[in-house]
Amino acid sequence: MTENHLELVQLINKRLEERDYGSEPKELYDPIRYIMSLGGKRMRPLLVLLAYKLFKDDPETVVEQALAVEVFHNFTLVHDDIMDNAPLRRGKATVHEKWDANTAILSGDVMMVKAYDMLLDAPANLKQIVQDFNACAAGVCEGQQLDMNFETLATVDESAYINMIRLKTAVLLGFSLKLGAMLAQSSKEDAELLYDFGVSIGIGFQLKDDLLDVYGDQAKFGKQVGGDIISNKKTFLLLKALELANEEQKKQLDYWLGLENFDAVAKVEAVRAIYDAIGIEELTKAKMNEYFDHGFSDLDQLDIEEEKRASLKRFAEYLIDREH
Protein backbone atom coordinates (compact mmCIF):
# COMPACT_ATOMS: atom_id res chain seq x y z
CA MET A 1 0.00 0.00 0.00
CA THR A 2 1.45 3.39 -0.99
CA GLU A 3 1.90 6.41 1.28
CA ASN A 4 -1.04 8.09 -0.46
CA HIS A 5 -3.29 5.10 0.27
CA LEU A 6 -2.21 5.06 3.92
CA GLU A 7 -2.98 8.77 4.27
CA LEU A 8 -6.51 8.17 2.98
CA VAL A 9 -6.99 5.22 5.38
CA GLN A 10 -5.81 7.43 8.25
CA LEU A 11 -8.34 10.06 7.20
CA ILE A 12 -11.09 7.43 7.12
CA ASN A 13 -10.15 6.10 10.56
CA LYS A 14 -9.94 9.60 12.04
CA ARG A 15 -13.45 10.45 10.84
CA LEU A 16 -14.77 7.12 12.14
CA GLU A 17 -13.26 7.79 15.57
CA GLU A 18 -14.88 11.23 15.66
CA ARG A 19 -18.31 10.00 14.59
CA ASP A 20 -21.22 10.20 17.02
CA TYR A 21 -23.63 7.36 16.30
CA GLY A 22 -25.93 8.18 19.24
CA SER A 23 -25.87 7.94 23.02
CA GLU A 24 -29.04 6.59 24.66
CA PRO A 25 -29.90 3.87 25.25
CA LYS A 26 -26.22 2.98 25.43
CA GLU A 27 -27.03 -0.72 24.99
CA LEU A 28 -28.10 0.18 21.44
CA TYR A 29 -25.20 2.46 20.51
CA ASP A 30 -22.27 0.90 22.38
CA PRO A 31 -22.28 -2.17 20.08
CA ILE A 32 -22.06 0.14 17.05
CA ARG A 33 -19.06 1.97 18.47
CA TYR A 34 -17.55 -1.41 19.35
CA ILE A 35 -17.83 -3.04 15.90
CA MET A 36 -16.64 0.13 14.17
CA SER A 37 -13.58 0.26 16.46
CA LEU A 38 -12.39 -3.23 15.56
CA GLY A 39 -10.49 -1.96 12.53
CA GLY A 40 -10.14 -3.74 9.24
CA LYS A 41 -8.57 -2.76 5.94
CA ARG A 42 -11.21 -0.05 5.25
CA MET A 43 -11.04 -1.25 1.67
CA ARG A 44 -14.52 -0.15 0.64
CA PRO A 45 -14.38 3.51 1.74
CA LEU A 46 -10.84 3.69 0.36
CA LEU A 47 -12.16 2.53 -3.02
CA VAL A 48 -14.76 5.30 -2.89
CA LEU A 49 -12.04 7.91 -2.34
CA LEU A 50 -9.65 6.42 -4.92
CA ALA A 51 -12.41 6.43 -7.55
CA TYR A 52 -13.30 10.02 -6.65
CA LYS A 53 -9.64 11.04 -7.00
CA LEU A 54 -9.63 9.82 -10.59
CA PHE A 55 -11.75 12.86 -11.43
CA LYS A 56 -11.30 15.42 -8.62
CA ASP A 57 -8.55 16.37 -6.17
CA ASP A 58 -10.50 17.00 -2.93
CA PRO A 59 -11.41 13.54 -1.56
CA GLU A 60 -11.70 14.93 1.98
CA THR A 61 -15.01 16.51 0.92
CA VAL A 62 -16.69 13.13 0.34
CA VAL A 63 -15.34 11.12 3.28
CA GLU A 64 -18.81 11.17 4.89
CA GLN A 65 -20.30 9.32 1.93
CA ALA A 66 -17.34 6.92 1.85
CA LEU A 67 -17.97 6.10 5.51
CA ALA A 68 -21.57 5.20 4.67
CA VAL A 69 -20.26 2.21 2.74
CA GLU A 70 -18.08 1.12 5.69
CA VAL A 71 -20.96 1.42 8.17
CA PHE A 72 -23.19 -0.61 5.84
CA HIS A 73 -20.47 -3.25 5.40
CA ASN A 74 -20.07 -3.61 9.17
CA PHE A 75 -23.86 -3.80 9.58
CA THR A 76 -23.83 -6.86 7.29
CA LEU A 77 -21.01 -8.38 9.36
CA VAL A 78 -23.00 -7.98 12.60
CA HIS A 79 -25.97 -9.81 11.11
CA ASP A 80 -23.83 -12.40 9.29
CA ASP A 81 -22.09 -13.27 12.56
CA ILE A 82 -25.48 -13.96 14.16
CA MET A 83 -26.50 -16.23 11.27
CA ASP A 84 -23.14 -18.04 11.36
CA ASN A 85 -23.10 -18.18 15.17
CA ALA A 86 -19.55 -16.84 14.91
CA PRO A 87 -17.76 -16.23 18.23
CA LEU A 88 -15.01 -13.95 16.89
CA ARG A 89 -14.67 -11.02 14.49
CA ARG A 90 -11.14 -9.72 13.86
CA GLY A 91 -9.93 -11.62 16.90
CA LYS A 92 -12.49 -10.06 19.27
CA ALA A 93 -15.87 -11.23 20.52
CA THR A 94 -18.67 -10.69 18.03
CA VAL A 95 -21.44 -8.25 18.95
CA HIS A 96 -24.01 -10.97 19.67
CA GLU A 97 -21.49 -12.75 21.93
CA LYS A 98 -20.48 -9.60 23.82
CA TRP A 99 -24.11 -8.50 24.23
CA ASP A 100 -26.82 -10.80 22.83
CA ALA A 101 -28.47 -11.61 19.51
CA ASN A 102 -31.46 -9.28 19.95
CA THR A 103 -29.19 -6.34 20.76
CA ALA A 104 -26.99 -7.16 17.77
CA ILE A 105 -30.02 -7.21 15.45
CA LEU A 106 -31.24 -3.82 16.70
CA SER A 107 -27.80 -2.22 16.60
CA GLY A 108 -27.31 -3.53 13.08
CA ASP A 109 -30.65 -2.04 12.04
CA VAL A 110 -29.56 1.37 13.36
CA MET A 111 -26.28 1.07 11.43
CA MET A 112 -28.25 0.66 8.22
CA VAL A 113 -30.24 3.81 9.04
CA LYS A 114 -27.02 5.71 9.83
CA ALA A 115 -25.55 4.66 6.48
CA TYR A 116 -28.46 6.39 4.71
CA ASP A 117 -27.97 9.48 6.89
CA MET A 118 -24.36 9.68 5.76
CA LEU A 119 -25.34 9.75 2.08
CA LEU A 120 -27.79 12.66 2.41
CA ASP A 121 -25.31 15.49 1.72
CA ALA A 122 -23.84 13.87 -1.38
CA PRO A 123 -22.68 16.54 -3.85
CA ALA A 124 -24.30 14.68 -6.74
CA ASN A 125 -27.52 12.98 -7.87
CA LEU A 126 -28.79 11.70 -4.51
CA LYS A 127 -31.74 9.84 -6.05
CA GLN A 128 -29.43 7.82 -8.33
CA ILE A 129 -26.99 7.15 -5.50
CA VAL A 130 -29.76 5.84 -3.22
CA GLN A 131 -31.22 3.72 -6.03
CA ASP A 132 -27.82 2.14 -6.70
CA PHE A 133 -27.18 1.71 -2.97
CA ASN A 134 -30.54 -0.04 -2.56
CA ALA A 135 -29.78 -2.38 -5.47
CA CYS A 136 -26.40 -3.17 -3.94
CA ALA A 137 -27.84 -3.77 -0.46
CA ALA A 138 -30.56 -6.08 -1.83
CA GLY A 139 -27.90 -7.92 -3.83
CA VAL A 140 -25.79 -8.52 -0.72
CA CYS A 141 -28.85 -10.01 1.03
CA GLU A 142 -29.63 -12.16 -2.01
CA GLY A 143 -26.08 -13.46 -2.01
CA GLN A 144 -26.24 -14.32 1.68
CA GLN A 145 -29.51 -16.20 1.16
CA LEU A 146 -28.07 -18.13 -1.79
CA ASP A 147 -25.04 -19.05 0.33
CA MET A 148 -27.37 -20.40 3.02
CA ASN A 149 -29.42 -22.25 0.38
CA PHE A 150 -26.25 -23.94 -0.88
CA GLU A 151 -25.69 -25.55 2.53
CA THR A 152 -28.61 -27.93 1.92
CA LEU A 153 -27.68 -28.84 -1.67
CA ALA A 154 -25.47 -31.80 -2.58
CA THR A 155 -23.59 -29.69 -5.11
CA VAL A 156 -23.83 -26.36 -6.92
CA ASP A 157 -22.74 -25.58 -10.46
CA GLU A 158 -19.93 -23.13 -11.15
CA SER A 159 -22.13 -20.36 -12.58
CA ALA A 160 -24.43 -20.44 -9.53
CA TYR A 161 -21.45 -20.19 -7.19
CA ILE A 162 -19.92 -17.29 -9.12
CA ASN A 163 -23.27 -15.50 -9.03
CA MET A 164 -23.51 -16.01 -5.27
CA ILE A 165 -20.08 -14.50 -4.57
CA ARG A 166 -20.80 -11.72 -7.06
CA LEU A 167 -23.81 -10.72 -4.99
CA LYS A 168 -22.52 -11.46 -1.50
CA THR A 169 -19.09 -9.86 -1.88
CA ALA A 170 -18.36 -8.24 -5.23
CA VAL A 171 -21.30 -5.89 -5.82
CA LEU A 172 -20.37 -3.82 -2.74
CA LEU A 173 -16.86 -3.30 -4.11
CA GLY A 174 -18.39 -2.30 -7.43
CA PHE A 175 -20.80 0.11 -5.77
CA SER A 176 -17.98 1.65 -3.70
CA LEU A 177 -16.09 2.53 -6.88
CA LYS A 178 -19.19 3.69 -8.70
CA LEU A 179 -20.16 5.86 -5.72
CA GLY A 180 -16.78 7.60 -5.86
CA ALA A 181 -17.27 8.29 -9.55
CA MET A 182 -20.83 9.57 -9.06
CA LEU A 183 -19.72 11.85 -6.21
CA ALA A 184 -17.12 13.30 -8.59
CA GLN A 185 -19.86 13.68 -11.22
CA SER A 186 -17.99 11.57 -13.77
CA SER A 187 -19.59 10.37 -16.97
CA LYS A 188 -22.11 7.55 -16.66
CA GLU A 189 -19.85 5.40 -18.86
CA ASP A 190 -16.84 5.80 -16.55
CA ALA A 191 -18.97 5.13 -13.47
CA GLU A 192 -20.22 1.87 -15.01
CA LEU A 193 -16.70 0.81 -16.03
CA LEU A 194 -15.55 1.34 -12.45
CA TYR A 195 -18.51 -0.68 -11.18
CA ASP A 196 -17.67 -3.54 -13.54
CA PHE A 197 -14.00 -3.33 -12.52
CA GLY A 198 -14.96 -3.63 -8.85
CA VAL A 199 -17.29 -6.57 -9.41
CA SER A 200 -14.69 -8.52 -11.42
CA ILE A 201 -11.95 -7.81 -8.91
CA GLY A 202 -14.31 -8.76 -6.07
CA ILE A 203 -15.07 -12.15 -7.61
CA GLY A 204 -11.34 -12.69 -8.07
CA PHE A 205 -10.72 -11.78 -4.42
CA GLN A 206 -13.24 -14.35 -3.19
CA LEU A 207 -11.75 -17.05 -5.41
CA LYS A 208 -8.35 -16.16 -3.96
CA ASP A 209 -9.77 -16.49 -0.42
CA ASP A 210 -11.10 -19.94 -1.36
CA LEU A 211 -7.63 -20.85 -2.64
CA LEU A 212 -5.73 -19.47 0.36
CA ASP A 213 -7.96 -21.41 2.74
CA VAL A 214 -6.56 -24.63 1.28
CA TYR A 215 -3.12 -23.66 -0.03
CA GLY A 216 -2.20 -20.58 2.02
CA ASP A 217 0.63 -20.18 4.50
CA GLN A 218 -1.13 -20.34 7.88
CA ALA A 219 1.31 -17.83 9.42
CA LYS A 220 0.33 -15.29 6.75
CA PHE A 221 -3.30 -16.30 6.20
CA GLY A 222 -4.36 -15.34 9.72
CA LYS A 223 -6.77 -18.22 10.28
CA GLN A 224 -6.80 -21.99 10.16
CA VAL A 225 -5.77 -23.32 6.75
CA GLY A 226 -8.22 -26.00 5.67
CA GLY A 227 -11.14 -24.57 7.60
CA ASP A 228 -13.39 -24.74 4.54
CA ILE A 229 -12.53 -28.42 4.04
CA ILE A 230 -13.20 -29.20 7.71
CA SER A 231 -16.64 -27.52 7.55
CA ASN A 232 -17.59 -28.93 4.10
CA LYS A 233 -18.01 -25.37 2.81
CA LYS A 234 -19.01 -25.31 -0.84
CA THR A 235 -16.15 -23.26 -2.26
CA PHE A 236 -15.07 -23.08 -5.88
CA LEU A 237 -12.39 -25.70 -5.14
CA LEU A 238 -14.78 -28.29 -3.72
CA LEU A 239 -17.43 -27.72 -6.37
CA LYS A 240 -14.86 -28.03 -9.18
CA ALA A 241 -13.46 -31.18 -7.60
CA LEU A 242 -16.93 -32.76 -7.37
CA GLU A 243 -17.49 -31.85 -11.03
CA LEU A 244 -14.18 -33.27 -12.33
CA ALA A 245 -13.49 -36.19 -9.96
CA ASN A 246 -13.25 -39.70 -11.37
CA GLU A 247 -15.25 -42.50 -9.78
CA GLU A 248 -12.65 -43.31 -7.09
CA GLN A 249 -11.99 -39.64 -6.27
CA LYS A 250 -15.72 -38.96 -6.03
CA LYS A 251 -16.07 -41.92 -3.67
CA GLN A 252 -13.28 -40.54 -1.44
CA LEU A 253 -14.75 -37.04 -1.45
CA ASP A 254 -18.18 -38.37 -0.52
CA TYR A 255 -16.59 -40.39 2.30
CA TRP A 256 -14.89 -37.35 3.86
CA LEU A 257 -17.88 -35.07 3.29
CA GLY A 258 -20.17 -37.57 5.00
CA LEU A 259 -18.10 -38.17 8.13
CA GLU A 260 -19.42 -36.61 11.33
CA ASN A 261 -16.50 -37.63 13.56
CA PHE A 262 -13.07 -37.29 11.99
CA ASP A 263 -9.49 -36.21 12.49
CA ALA A 264 -9.35 -32.66 11.08
CA VAL A 265 -5.72 -32.90 9.96
CA ALA A 266 -6.33 -36.20 8.19
CA LYS A 267 -9.41 -34.84 6.43
CA VAL A 268 -7.60 -31.72 5.18
CA GLU A 269 -4.67 -33.78 3.92
CA ALA A 270 -6.90 -36.34 2.19
CA VAL A 271 -9.11 -33.80 0.44
CA ARG A 272 -6.15 -31.65 -0.54
CA ALA A 273 -4.50 -34.73 -2.07
CA ILE A 274 -7.59 -35.24 -4.22
CA TYR A 275 -7.48 -31.55 -5.24
CA ASP A 276 -3.82 -31.97 -6.18
CA ALA A 277 -4.53 -35.02 -8.31
CA ILE A 278 -7.29 -33.19 -10.22
CA GLY A 279 -5.29 -29.95 -10.57
CA ILE A 280 -7.75 -27.83 -8.61
CA GLU A 281 -5.15 -25.26 -7.49
CA GLU A 282 -4.22 -24.45 -11.09
CA LEU A 283 -7.86 -24.36 -12.22
CA THR A 284 -8.77 -21.96 -9.41
CA LYS A 285 -5.82 -19.68 -10.17
CA ALA A 286 -6.82 -19.61 -13.84
CA LYS A 287 -10.43 -18.67 -13.02
CA MET A 288 -9.28 -16.07 -10.47
CA ASN A 289 -6.89 -14.47 -12.97
CA GLU A 290 -9.59 -14.48 -15.62
CA TYR A 291 -11.67 -12.15 -13.43
CA PHE A 292 -8.68 -10.00 -12.45
CA ASP A 293 -7.74 -9.59 -16.13
CA HIS A 294 -11.30 -8.68 -17.04
CA GLY A 295 -11.39 -6.08 -14.28
CA PHE A 296 -8.15 -4.43 -15.37
CA SER A 297 -9.44 -4.38 -18.94
CA ASP A 298 -12.44 -2.34 -17.73
CA LEU A 299 -10.10 -0.01 -15.82
CA ASP A 300 -7.98 0.55 -18.93
CA GLN A 301 -11.06 1.75 -20.84
CA LEU A 302 -11.62 4.72 -18.50
CA ASP A 303 -11.48 8.06 -20.26
CA ILE A 304 -8.72 9.44 -18.03
CA GLU A 305 -4.95 9.74 -18.23
CA GLU A 306 -2.84 6.76 -17.19
CA GLU A 307 -1.16 8.64 -14.35
CA LYS A 308 -4.47 9.07 -12.49
CA ARG A 309 -5.47 5.47 -13.14
CA ALA A 310 -2.18 4.19 -11.69
CA SER A 311 -3.02 4.79 -8.01
CA LEU A 312 -6.20 2.71 -8.18
CA LYS A 313 -4.42 0.04 -10.19
CA ARG A 314 -1.59 -0.16 -7.63
CA PHE A 315 -4.08 -0.60 -4.79
CA ALA A 316 -5.89 -3.39 -6.65
CA GLU A 317 -2.56 -5.09 -7.36
CA TYR A 318 -1.64 -4.79 -3.68
CA LEU A 319 -4.88 -6.56 -2.72
CA ILE A 320 -4.40 -9.22 -5.38
CA ASP A 321 -0.87 -10.02 -4.17
CA ARG A 322 -1.84 -10.33 -0.51
CA GLU A 323 -1.55 -13.69 1.25
CA HIS A 324 -4.07 -13.05 4.06
Side-chain angles (χ1 to χ4, degrees), residues 16 19 21 63-68 71 113-122:
L16 283 172
R19 170 150 295 281
Y21 299 99
V63 174
E64 181 80 354
Q65 289 74 44
L67 297 187
V71 171
V113 173
K114 294 294 181 182
Y116 279 105
D117 275 348
M118 297 159 80
L119 290 172
L120 291 178
D121 291 330

Side-chain angles (χ1 to χ4, degrees), residues 21-34 107 110 114:
Y21 299 99
S23 55
E24 292 295 335
K26 66 183 182 63
E27 293 83 2
L28 180 65
Y29 292 105
D30 282 354
I32 300 175
R33 283 185 282 273
Y34 172 75
S107 294
V110 172
K114 294 294 181 182

Side-chain angles (χ1 to χ4, degrees), residues 144-164:
Q144 176 70 5
Q145 183 64 57
L146 287 172
D147 196 18
M148 292 190 295
N149 291 354
F150 290 174
E151 293 176 9
T152 61
L153 301 177
T155 189
V156 177
D157 67 36
E158 180 181 319
S159 62
Y161 180 75
I162 295 294
N163 183 52
M164 183 274 288

